[in-house]
Amino acid sequence: MSLLSGKKILLGVTAGIAAYKTANLVRLFIKSGAEVKVIMTPASKDFITPLTLSTLSKNPVHSTFYDKESENELWNNHVELGLWADIFLIAPATANTLSKMTNGVCDNLLIATYLSAKCKVFFAPAMDLDMYKHPSTLDSFKKLQNYGNVMIPATSGELASGLIGEGRMAEPEDIVAFIEQEIASSLPLYGKRFLITAGPTHEAIDPVRFIGNHSSGKMGFELAKAAANLGAEIFLVTGPTHQTIAHSFVHRIDVISAEDMYQACHQYFENIDVAICSAAVADYKPKNVASEKIKKKVATFNIPLEPTKDILKSLGVSKKHQFLVGFALETNDEVANAKSKIKRKNLDLIVLNSLRDKGAGFATDTNKVTIIDADYIGKDFTLKSKAAVAKDIINEIMQRIYA
Ligand code: CTP
């Protein structure tokens, strides 16, 4: 998942040698789940073919106001294209196009579309050393930025002329990361760091056996996604699970046992703003782990157990500025038990699920929760998908950290 997922991206290609990089750029946008349309200036077709970009973007490429060869000569509506886009990127942006856009010289479809666009417009300039430093180019940069556009700085290196210096278009991966960062900076959780625990833990009995539980990890992963989509940076400490997450703002830390999870959580906790412990941590572990596989010998077999460390409680002890959220899975006296956990573990919020509610719990795709805060004010939510529950939880946290 990426912040670009579902976004409509309009890519304007102008006539610079760096146009060859736009094939990769389109591929990266598509891979991140965005919808892409491309407008090329007529001269840019000398550098990369419309066929390449239409194939990669899965959309026809537009270049002129109407297609002379086409029988019905349909007008390419620049206003429609400009309004369609959530993000407009001009890459590579040549000195010529930058200057014409600065002054509203509207002699091609790309510039007409730029003048009609209402979304944020990014420019990835590419030109030779002296052109990049020329006062008229610098003037274009300044004016376009004053109009609310965003410049993605060119980098230094070997240029097509053979000269070495500033003027290389940023690499496609860096352009994507730059745009993602820009989107994130306008999101409500930007700059906040979350620690989230997820999944079960496995407590080894011997090299092949363990004590575990049915936690799927889904709730924790949905929480990570929901907070990351609002711009937060996530440290997701997860026990063994089949869940996957590919989000540029999520750092996944895989652990096996409660002890591993405890160590990982304490490593990150100091610099965290919000910690949510949704993992189903084993309460007990075998006192001794056999170094060899235990052989079947006797009719009954006892495994002495000892308590694991309570991670949430230990975070409650270390807590300074952090907002701490726990989960409680109960079968009886639900609210009273949850409230006592808030006190015992020094929590700011607890998410209660009752096993008496059908569809709630840790091995389902849905959940039904009651969220109770440190003032014991509770809010009941209906049965929902775990993705929707995650959004509710993050929303409740946001209301309190920004109160
Ligand atoms: N938790 C934890 N470390 C543990 C056990 C639990 O971090 N070793 C966290 C869970 O992630 C959850 C919360 O504590 O957020 C509540 O877990 P739960 O098992 O319901 O609470 P316990 O304190 O173990 O109480 P009990 O089992 O007696 O209900």
Side-chain angles (χ1 to χ4, degrees):
M1 255 292 274
S2 148
L3 289 179
L4 297 179
S5 173
K7 291 269 187 281
K8 296 185 176 105
I9 301 180
L10 188 57
L11 172 66
V13 181
T14 74
I17 188 74
Y20 80 91
K21 293 185 187 175
T22 57
N24 196 21
L25 197 51
V26 171
R27 206 181 56 85
L28 292 174
F29 284 146
I30 294 286
K31 220 171 132 194
S32 60
E35 202 180 326
V36 181
K37 289 187 181 177
V38 180
I39 304 177
M40 301 179 77
T41 61
S44 73
K45 293 180 190 170
D46 290 335
F47 295 88
I48 184 162
T49 70
L51 180 63
T52 303
L53 296 181
S54 64
T55 307
L56 290 170
S57 68
K58 304 180 172 86
N59 270 314
V61 166
H62 302 294
S63 176
T64 50
F65 287 99
Y66 64 92
D67 183 359
K68 283 188 181 128
E69 262 97 73
S70 158
E71 276 179 12
N72 43 15
E73 291 197 0
L74 266 186
W75 181 51
N76 286 321
N77 190 332
H78 58 275
V79 178
E80 227 167 66
L81 277 168
L83 296 181
W84 171 85
D86 298 318
I87 295 162
F88 194 177
L89 166 68
I90 320 292
T94 56
N96 181 44
T97 293
L98 286 164
S99 167
K100 286 200 284 189
M101 284 182 168
T102 305
N103 295 298
V105 179
C106 182
D107 64 355
N108 65 37
L109 178 70
L110 176 61
I111 299 173
T113 308
Y114 161 72
L115 292 173
S116 310
K118 292 238 183 323
C119 63
K120 191 154 247 182
V121 185
F122 295 83
F123 289 86
M127 63 200 78
D128 217 90
L129 184 65
D130 297 314
M131 294 171 81
Y132 193 70
K133 291 230 165 82
H134 196 278
S136 66
T137 308
L138 298 178
D139 202 38
S140 297
F141 290 164
K142 209 181 292 163
K143 279 189 181 154
L144 286 168
Q145 279 169 317
N146 285 343
Y147 300 155
N149 303 298
V150 184
M151 289 292 153
I152 305 176
T155 60
S156 268
E158 197 175 321
L159 301 163
S161 61
L163 292 174
I164 293 174
E166 232 176 342
R168 279 168 69 96
M169 188 177 87
E171 291 305 320
E173 287 80 2
D174 297 331
I175 292 177
V176 172
F178 187 103
I179 295 174
E180 272 196 305
Q181 203 60 38
E182 186 70 24
I183 295 173
S185 67
S186 62
L187 294 174
L189 285 177
Y190 183 68
K192 296 283 181 212
R193 301 171 122 217
F194 278 55
L195 171 69
I196 298 176
T197 69
T201 62
H202 287 181
E203 308 303 326
I205 298 170
D206 68 12
V208 292
R209 302 180 180 95
F210 60 83
I211 296 173
N213 61 62
H214 291 296
S215 168
S216 64
K218 193 164 172 75
M219 194 65 245
F221 276 65
E222 291 297 350
L223 282 163
K225 259 182 238 166
N229 282 341
L230 293 175
E233 185 180 9
I234 315 294
F235 297 86
L236 175 63
V237 179
T238 177
T241 169
H242 295 301
Q243 302 293 328
T244 56
I245 193 159
H247 195 299
S248 36
F249 290 4
V250 178
H251 312 282
R252 175 179 176 149
I253 301 111
D254 284 290
V255 295
I256 308 272
S257 66
E259 180 61 29
D260 299 341
M261 192 174 269
Y262 174 91
Q263 297 298 343
C265 287
H266 281 276
Q267 185 186 332
Y268 294 103
F269 190 60
E270 198 182 328
N271 298 315
I272 287 297
D273 299 294
V274 176
I276 311 175
C277 289
S278 70
V281 185
D283 285 328
Y284 290 91
K285 63 178 180 179
K287 212 166 172 167
N288 303 302
V289 182
S291 55
E292 305 291 342
K293 186 183 167 203
I294 298 169
K295 289 287 177 199
K296 182 169 57 184
K297 278 188 216 133
V298 285
T300 59
F301 184 72
N302 294 317
I303 304 174
L305 301 176
E306 64 180 6
T308 57
K309 288 176 185 154
D310 188 324
I311 301 164
L312 180 59
K313 195 171 173 191
S314 69
L315 297 179
V317 172
S318 309
K319 188 169 101 171
K320 290 188 187 91
H321 59 277
Q322 297 89 343
F323 188 91
L324 188 56
V325 183
F327 270 68
L329 179 65
E330 306 290 342
T331 55
N332 58 296
D333 297 330
E334 292 88 341
V335 173
N337 281 332
K339 285 180 179 172
S340 100
K341 272 176 198 169
I342 293 180
K343 251 220 153 53
R344 250 189 308 128
K345 303 197 184 193
N346 192 20
L347 308 181
D348 297 291
L349 210 66
I350 197 156
V351 181
L352 162 68
N353 13 138
S354 167
L355 271 189
R356 283 199 281 191
D357 288 321
K358 227 171 152 252
F362 63 17
T364 62
D365 275 340
T366 53
N367 211 352
K368 183 174 183 311
V369 301
T370 300
I371 298 179
I372 305 171
D373 69 15
D375 297 324
Y376 294 161
I377 297 171
K379 202 166 169 184
D380 292 321
F381 292 81
T382 54
L383 182 74
K384 301 177 183 192
S385 70
K386 283 189 172 166
V389 173
K391 284 184 190 156
D392 288 338
I393 295 170
I394 299 297
N395 194 23
E396 291 296 317
I397 293 171
M398 267 200 310
Q399 282 176 24
R400 285 166 179 86
I401 60 175
Y402 291 128

